[in-house]
Amino acid sequence: MMHTRRQFMHHVGCASALGALSPLAAWAQTIDQVKIFYGFPAGSAGDSVARRVGEKLAASPYTRNPAVVENKPGAGGRIALESLKGAPADGSVLTLSPFSCTSIYPHIYSRLSYDPAKDFVPVSIGAVMHHGLAVGPLVPASVKTVKDFLAWAKANPGQADYGSPAAGSTPHFIGALLGLNNGVDLKHVPYRGSIPGVTDVVGGQIASMVTPSGDFIPNHKAGKLRLIATSGQARSPFSPEVATFAEQGFPELTTEEWFGFYAPARTPAAVVAAANAAINAAIKDKAVMDSLAVVGLIAKGSTPAEMLASQQAEYERWGPLVKKVGFTAES
């Protein structure tokens, strides 16, 4: 039986109450090994969240051993969630996903193979990322700001393109809105994850890219590409010299995307509480925080209810923006 939203909120409330009453008192059966699906290639920023947090779950009341991460790249992260939908609802399988897969994709895919509200239970947010716009050697060194880039793109329509880690991803829409709102025809080039696109920007095959800013940092610091804007409410702690979109006059592009852990629907509340406690303990570990900082991620946990509320708020925010861009899976 599928959960309604009301049943689900009750379910989340029970999980929180159990955790508050007695730490995991209702959770008597420690899982031997947890598997974490991640819908993008190894080596990307989110993959680090799955691996670093997964390692630290060992020897917790939730699981005895470090979690095993299984990368399921393709379809913009949907394959990992499709795999979770049919997984055992006993806490042994989780999926780490950016919010785009649960908050934006329902506006894009008329035949989405999962229902975020009915098929999954939010467990905890794991990390927050800022997206960034970077340009490579194809774009003259004189281009240092977003306005410079738009002026260059307008003057060079044949080269005015931008990559993103997937069609329908948050970075795809940031680039699309940037072009649309400013009357510049920026052509979108979707990749399978950040790394192949960043490689093409550095190699001069493509002018620019919008993707999690952490995936640009090593090449930005090495001078192989130029990060010219980030999407956070404040400047990224990892590239404080780079002004935000808002500071440069584009406040509508402000967005901070999270990676969150999901369990299959019908996972018992006590199991969700145990997983949440273990994930939040892992996220507070200094070694985890430091290793996520290396890839431009801010370690951040949540309760299941907070994650659900944020997922819903992002769903409502992005609906009209997706409509404005006019992108669907069929387009």
Side-chain angles (χ1 to χ4, degrees):
M1 185 183 78
M2 299 296 186
H3 287 289
T4 64
R5 191 170 295 279
R6 187 175 297 161
Q7 285 172 312
F8 177 63
M9 288 311 291
H10 170 73
H11 177 108
V12 165
C14 291
S16 304
L18 278 168
L21 283 170
S22 158
L24 317 176
W27 174 235
Q29 177 195 355
T30 304
I31 296 165
D32 188 51
Q33 186 151 53
V34 172
K35 189 181 282 183
I36 300 172
F37 295 148
Y38 179 61
F40 297 90
S44 57
D47 182 65
S48 298
V49 180
R51 291 179 193 278
R52 299 293 86 80
V53 172
E55 286 163 7
K56 293 289 179 182
L57 297 180
S60 68
Y62 171 47
T63 179
R64 292 184 187 90
N65 295 296
V68 174
V69 177
E70 199 172 304
N71 296 89
K72 292 182 173 286
R78 298 196 306 283
I79 293 169
L81 284 169
E82 286 165 8
S83 303
L84 183 70
K85 184 179 168 182
D90 59 3
S92 64
V93 183
L94 303 174
T95 285
L96 179 72
S97 175
F99 75 50
S100 50
C101 296
T102 50
S103 297
I104 300 180
Y105 287 3
H107 299 297
I108 297 170
Y109 296 96
S110 56
R111 296 187 195 85
L112 196 60
S113 58
Y114 54 80
D115 180 336
K118 292 180 179 176
D119 293 332
F120 313 123
V121 178
V123 178
S124 177
I125 291 171
V128 173
M129 60 182 159
H130 298 173
H131 295 297
L133 168 64
V135 296
L138 204 59
V139 179
S142 57
V143 171
K144 292 181 167 63
T145 66
V146 178
K147 284 178 178 154
D148 291 346
F149 174 66
L150 289 170
W152 174 85
K154 210 164 202 170
N156 297 273
Q159 294 176 303
D161 47 20
Y162 73 98
S164 86
S169 63
T170 310
H172 169 194
F173 289 114
I174 291 172
L177 289 166
L178 177 65
L180 199 63
N181 293 346
N182 296 284
V184 178
D185 184 16
L186 294 176
K187 293 173 195 69
H188 176 234
V189 182
Y191 285 87
R192 285 185 63 167
S194 294
I195 307 306
V198 172
T199 303
D200 278 0
V201 174
V202 169
Q205 274 85 41
I206 185 172
S208 68
M209 184 161 187
V210 182
T211 209
S213 60
D215 290 329
F216 291 130
I217 299 296
N219 286 299
H220 169 63
K221 288 189 169 158
K224 294 179 179 176
L225 53 68
R226 305 186 309 282
L227 186 55
I228 60 173
T230 53
S231 72
Q233 292 177 23
R235 293 191 184 197
S236 167
F238 313 114
S239 54
E241 73 284 0
V242 179
T244 63
F245 281 111
E247 282 180 280
Q248 297 185 54
F250 306 91
E252 71 283 0
L253 301 180
T254 301
T255 187
E256 297 180 354
E257 185 161 14
W258 47 255
F259 289 106
F261 291 91
Y262 289 91
R266 302 179 301 285
T267 300
V271 182
V272 173
N276 176 273
I279 289 166
N280 275 276
I283 289 161
K284 291 185 180 87
D285 186 285
K286 188 177 184 306
V288 173
M289 294 169 89
D290 290 348
S291 62
L292 295 185
V294 170
V295 292
L297 294 176
I298 301 158
K300 182 187 177 183
S302 75
T303 65
E306 286 165 348
M307 181 170 157
L308 178 67
S310 180
Q311 177 184 309
Q312 186 61 24
E314 293 295 346
Y315 172 82
E316 286 162 10
R317 179 200 170 186
W318 284 96
L321 296 176
V322 170
K323 201 168 185 179
K324 182 176 182 178
V325 170
F327 176 80
T328 65
E330 290 74 41
S331 62

